[in-house]
Amino acid sequence: MEENRKKGILYIVVPCYNEEEALLPSAKTLLEKLEELRNSGIVSEKSRIVFVDDGSKDRTWELITQLYHAHGEITGLRFAHNRGHQNAILAGMMYAKDYCDYTITIDADLQQDINAITRFIEEYEKGSEVVFGVRNSRNTDRFFKKLSATMFYKIMRFIGAKIYENSADYRLMSAKALNALAEYGEVNLFLRGIIPDIGLSSSVVHFDVFARMQGESKYSLSKMLTLAADGITSFSIKPIRLVFGMGIVALLVGVGMVIHIVYEHYFGYTTDGWSSILMSIWVLGGAILLSLGIIGEYVGRNYMETKRRPRYYFWDVLSHDGDCHDKAK
């Protein structure tokens, strides 16, 4: 039993979006790493690399197709449209769960230290169903990204989300964890928060992040803000409770302003109270607008959940995996 666990079937899931510049060098590195793990007897010969094309507009899928025909270890999944980084990761893992003993997800640019894969597997062999990858530092990030990331993780912990600071979508999940994840039906995905919520035995592996060697990051500011919004609104109702608290404070301020206005009117100082009236209008108006905005965000997300649209649709699948591809028992 222990031997089977040590030589489990590994599927490396790699989400890709417009990665034609980085894809071939990254694929070469991943294939070399997979071969090293095989030769060392750490993983099974049935282990694979799954590239998920998230609706790329460049030659990414063409290159994945070439890799598929050249290497039996390569599997390619292609979205009909761009569905986002989180959906691409989920799609690869949900595909892999029927064939593998565990998956490891990693970005196509391989900025994460690929040598940490061995340590991920070591933690799995010790009994962890989920192994979280946590960055050692953010020295490769620009000042704004580093500051915004720090603030985001502090907010997430404040609202009660179970999330590791500086965690990444570089992690190992066992087949058991993948089957548990499949039970989550959220449309607005935030895997860094959902996966710790599963509650299975877990551990942490720290890794270094290197500067990107080819191409440019496809994770724009708008995508980062969307991911942050998904994370904050998906795991807590504290923002609504904060709005309720702001409403109470605004009400108390309003009562104080009424008392102040009555006092000024009684003593004949109504002209001087014009600024106070404007202040009350701005405070109450701002609080109302902010409240409506946050509540509207929750209503909008409930609306998206009730539509039950599929998270993704495969335009094409390239796979060497057949029905006879059984997992190690």
Side-chain angles (χ1 to χ4, degrees):
M1 181 69 181
E2 184 68 19
E3 180 66 22
N4 286 337
R5 188 168 176 83
K6 286 184 178 180
K7 291 196 65 173
I9 300 174
L10 164 65
Y11 270 49
I12 302 175
V13 175
V14 187
C16 308
Y17 178 67
N18 293 344
E19 292 287 358
E20 65 176 357
E21 294 178 324
L23 189 60
L24 293 181
S26 295
K28 181 176 182 295
T29 302
L30 287 168
L31 286 167
E32 290 173 351
K33 184 63 179 180
L34 187 60
E35 185 65 20
E36 174 190 326
L37 294 171
R38 285 172 167 176
N39 293 338
S40 301
I42 296 175
V43 301
S44 167
E45 292 294 324
K46 297 179 181 179
S47 299
R48 298 283 186 269
I49 301 170
V50 182
F51 289 102
V52 184
D53 182 6
D54 184 20
S56 298
K57 299 177 181 178
D58 60 3
R59 296 176 58 246
T60 295
W61 181 247
E62 179 184 335
L63 296 177
I64 292 174
T65 302
Q66 293 176 12
L67 289 167
Y68 164 75
H69 289 298
H71 303 279
E73 305 92 339
I74 299 293
T75 293
L77 309 177
R78 183 188 187 190
F79 285 177
H81 304 286
N82 177 245
R83 302 301 295 167
H85 182 258
Q86 298 290 283
N87 279 311
I89 293 174
L90 181 69
M93 292 193 299
M94 292 301 99
Y95 169 83
K97 71 181 179 67
D98 295 326
Y99 302 109
C100 71
D101 292 297
Y102 48 88
T103 66
I104 292 177
T105 54
I106 188 170
D107 290 341
D109 54 22
L110 296 190
Q111 285 186 263
Q112 297 103 331
D113 183 7
I114 195 172
N115 293 316
I117 288 178
T118 305
R119 287 183 281 133
F120 279 114
I121 298 173
E122 289 173 355
E123 291 298 322
Y124 167 79
E125 291 171 358
K126 294 176 183 177
S128 294
E129 301 292 345
V130 181
V131 184
F132 296 99
V134 176
R135 299 172 57 144
N136 281 322
S137 70
R138 288 191 167 270
N139 294 334
T140 57
D141 289 344
R142 295 180 179 179
F143 174 77
F144 176 76
K145 186 175 181 180
K146 186 184 300 185
L147 177 63
S148 59
T150 300
M151 293 177 59
F152 170 71
Y153 284 110
K154 290 185 181 299
I155 292 172
M156 290 298 295
R157 288 199 302 273
F158 172 75
I159 66 176
K162 301 174 183 178
I163 185 171
Y164 293 96
E165 186 170 358
N166 290 329
S167 61
D169 288 312
Y170 185 25
R171 68 177 73 84
L172 179 148
M173 293 188 69
S174 69
K176 180 178 180 179
L178 293 173
N179 286 320
L181 178 62
E183 299 297 319
Y184 286 72
E186 282 96 332
V187 173
N188 299 291
L189 285 174
F190 182 63
L191 294 174
R192 297 179 201 181
I194 293 175
I195 293 173
D197 188 66
I198 294 175
L200 295 174
S201 59
S202 64
S203 56
V204 172
V205 165
H206 291 85
F207 65 92
D208 293 321
V209 177
F210 307 111
R212 188 180 177 101
M213 300 302 294
Q214 298 92 13
E216 298 179 354
S217 174
K218 308 305 184 300
Y219 224 68
S220 63
L221 177 61
S222 62
K223 289 183 178 180
M224 287 189 290
L225 292 175
T226 299
L227 181 64
D230 286 341
I232 292 171
T233 58
S234 295
F235 292 93
S236 177
I237 61 170
K238 276 192 176 181
I240 291 180
R241 291 175 176 170
L242 288 174
V243 170
F244 178 72
M246 290 175 58
I248 293 176
V249 172
L251 178 61
L252 294 175
V253 171
V255 171
M257 291 302 299
V258 168
I259 295 173
H260 177 68
I261 292 168
V262 171
Y263 173 84
E264 287 196 337
H265 178 75
Y266 181 79
F267 287 99
Y269 301 134
T270 52
T271 303
D272 295 335
W274 180 250
S275 59
S276 299
I277 295 174
L278 285 179
M279 185 188 304
S280 65
I281 292 174
W282 279 104
V283 170
L284 293 174
I288 291 171
L289 289 175
L290 180 61
S291 302
L292 289 174
I294 295 179
I295 293 172
E297 181 72 15
Y298 278 89
V299 171
R301 291 177 185 278
N302 285 331
Y303 168 68
M304 292 299 297
E305 295 289 348
T306 57
K307 295 170 77 167
R308 306 303 298 170
R309 290 180 176 176
R311 297 189 186 98
Y312 48 81
Y313 176 75
F314 289 131
W315 182 262
D316 202 354
V317 175
L318 300 174
S319 174
H320 295 283
D321 303 313
D323 295 335
C324 61
H325 187 163
D326 297 325
K327 294 193 300 181
K329 303 299 182 184

